Amino acid sequence: MANMKAKLLSTKGMYLEALIEIDGSEYCVMDELTLDVERMPKEGEIFEFEFSNMLDEEESWESIFQGNPEKRRCLEQIQGWKYRAYGEVVSINPVKVDCGVFVEKDVIHTHDPKVVGEFVAFTISRLGGYAI
C-alpha cells in the first residue's frame, strides 16, 4: 500500500485505538504509530502513514461480489477499528482493490481477468497502520 499523509488526532496507547485524519476523514486504527518512541508522531502532527489491515478471512465469495451494488470506493466504520470496505478490483496477480483511501491486496485469490472492473465489498477486522 502506498504512503499518505495523516494527522494524529488522539491515541489510547500502543496497540489500542488511535484516531487519525486523512484528507479530511477520520479513521479509527490500531495504534502501531507509537511503537518507535523516537519517531512516533505527536497528537496534532502530520506524518507519513501506511495502512496495515487485517481482513476477515471467513467472508464468502458471494458476500464479497454482491456487497457493492452502488459501486462505491470508501470505508464505513462498523465498530472501533472494524470497517466495511467498498472498492473496485483494479488488477489480478495479485488481486488489488481500490477502496479510495487505499488499495488493498489479496482480498480474494483468482487469476480470472474477468474480475477486473468488478465492484466488491469486504470486512476489515482491524484497520491498522504505521508511521513511516
Side-chain angles (χ1 to χ4, degrees), residues 24-67:
S25 295
E26 286 186 20
Y27 299 95
C28 178
V29 299
M30 180 173 144
D31 183 348
E32 298 167 284
L33 309 167
T34 59
L35 297 177
D36 182 350
V37 178
E38 301 289 315
R39 297 181 44 218
M40 69 184 217
K42 310 286 184 259
E43 288 188 12
E45 187 177 356
I46 295 173
F47 59 97
E48 291 285 322
F49 178 80
E50 183 175 342
F51 280 103
S52 66
N53 306 324
M54 182 184 302
L55 305 183
D56 180 348
E57 304 280 327
E58 303 299 314
E59 203 152 1
S60 74
W61 186 272
E62 292 77 21
S63 169
I64 291 170
F65 278 90
Q66 294 172 2

Side-chain angles (χ1 to χ4, degrees), residues 82-101:
K82 186 174 185 176
Y83 283 80
R84 188 75 175 155
Y86 300 89
E88 180 182 5
V89 178
V90 294
S91 70
I92 57 172
N93 299 324
V95 173
K96 294 181 183 179
V97 178
D98 180 355
C99 297
V101 70

Side-chain angles (χ1 to χ4, degrees), residues 10-13 15-19 28-31 79-81:
S10 65
T11 181
K12 294 181 179 176
Y15 298 123
L16 301 174
E17 288 184 1
L19 282 178
C28 178
V29 299
M30 180 173 144
D31 183 348
Q79 181 179 356
W81 54 48

Side-chain angles (χ1 to χ4, degrees), residues 70-86:
E70 299 88 21
K71 299 182 176 184
R72 300 186 296 160
R73 286 184 193 90
C74 63
L75 294 179
E76 285 185 357
Q77 187 177 27
I78 296 170
Q79 181 179 356
W81 54 48
K82 186 174 185 176
Y83 283 80
R84 188 75 175 155
Y86 300 89

